[in-house]
Amino acid sequence: MKVTYHGQACFIFEHDEHRIIIDPFLSGNDKAVIKPDDVNVSYVLLTHGHADHVLDAEPIARKNNATIIAPNELAGYYAGKGLNVHPLGIGGKHEFPFGTVKVTLAFHGSGLETENGLVYVGPPVGFLITMGGKTIYHAGDTALFGDMKTVIGAFHDIDVALLPIGDNFTMGPEDALVAAEWTGAKTVIPMHYNTFPLIAQDGDKFARDLEAKGIHGIALKIGETAEF
């Protein structure tokens, strides 16, 4: 099971012949090391409708004839553009050829900027993805919230948690350390930081702080891959 970080909240997961991408924001991120045309996947997962999570969803899905997996309203938006979609609701799960996706709460916003103005595209979410025998929690953009402990951590054996640490728009490093403990994840990877000055953080320090709590932390560089 390979997890490659592509900046902000974008990751590509690979296992055997299966490849999926989450929250593709490449063409708008000058730190990205790949372009949308470089991406070859069968599924595109979207946690919410903000541009720094969906900017390249449509071109990647069209190029690959890929299915977009997203909250119901956001999936409906892309269905209206003629794309293949699979809508999911909070608490729901579905088995796909690559593995299982279960949708979790996230506390954030979710409006999509269109030519007709801001469009509501459903609630923000996180994903519990089981692939290649590993369970990975992509928290999406979120604050710290109690279900990370009482539901997500209590009822799931999480191998890897991908947690935002940028602060300002999401939880910062201090709350993310608590989230790491609450989820019980064996490994934690920080995300959603250093893309813009407003969310500048020290990912290496966060990883060290995790280690001090007995949690394996990896601050992946953009384009770097971890194997589990």
Side-chain angles (χ1 to χ4, degrees), residues 8-30:
Q8 199 64 336
C10 180
F11 292 83
I12 290 177
F13 294 177
E14 303 174 67
H15 180 255
D16 291 340
E17 73 276 19
H18 301 295
R19 289 169 57 90
I20 67 174
I21 191 168
I22 306 173
D23 285 358
F25 178 61
L26 303 170
S27 60
N29 184 359
D30 59 10

Side-chain angles (χ1 to χ4, degrees), residues 79-114:
K81 290 179 168 287
L83 296 171
N84 302 320
V85 304
H86 185 105
L88 283 168
I90 293 171
K93 70 177 184 294
H94 187 79
E95 182 77 26
F96 296 93
F98 63 84
T100 301
V101 177
K102 183 173 183 178
V103 181
T104 73
L105 286 170
F107 284 83
H108 193 58
S110 184
L112 184 64
E113 290 285 353
T114 73

Side-chain angles (χ1 to χ4, degrees), residues 40-220:
N40 297 298
V41 295
S42 298
Y43 292 86
V44 179
L45 282 70
L46 305 176
T47 62
H48 65 293
H50 289 163
D52 58 324
H53 297 258
V54 304
L55 184 64
D56 299 309
E58 184 175 350
I60 289 172
R62 289 196 187 281
K63 170 183 174 289
N64 293 277
N65 194 30
T67 298
I68 292 176
I69 300 171
N72 186 56
E73 293 85 351
L74 184 55
Y77 171 82
Y78 285 108
K81 290 179 168 287
L83 296 171
N84 302 320
V85 304
H86 185 105
L88 283 168
I90 293 171
K93 70 177 184 294
H94 187 79
E95 182 77 26
F96 296 93
F98 63 84
T100 301
V101 177
K102 183 173 183 178
V103 181
T104 73
L105 286 170
F107 284 83
H108 193 58
S110 184
L112 184 64
E113 290 285 353
T114 73
E115 60 273 12
N116 298 315
L118 189 67
V119 175
Y120 171 72
V121 285
V125 303
F127 292 121
L128 283 161
I129 300 166
T130 301
M131 183 175 178
K134 301 296 181 183
T135 297
I136 301 181
Y137 172 45
H138 187 298
D141 280 12
T142 189
L144 179 69
F145 60 98
D147 276 17
M148 289 180 172
K149 182 176 185 178
T150 60
V151 177
I152 296 168
F155 296 108
H156 302 90
D157 184 14
I158 298 173
D159 294 289
V160 185
L162 313 175
L163 302 178
I165 68 165
D167 219 340
N168 197 81
F169 299 109
T170 68
M171 60 184 171
E174 297 84 0
D175 283 357
L177 285 172
V178 177
E181 292 183 297
W182 283 1
T183 61
K186 300 176 182 69
T187 299
V188 173
I189 298 172
M191 65 175 182
H192 206 277
Y193 69 104
N194 287 353
T195 312
F196 315 108
L198 195 56
I199 56 172
Q201 298 292 343
D202 187 338
D204 291 326
K205 180 181 183 302
F206 179 72
R208 293 194 299 271
D209 290 344
L210 286 167
E211 297 288 347
K213 291 180 173 290
I215 302 167
H216 182 42
I218 307 173
L220 291 177

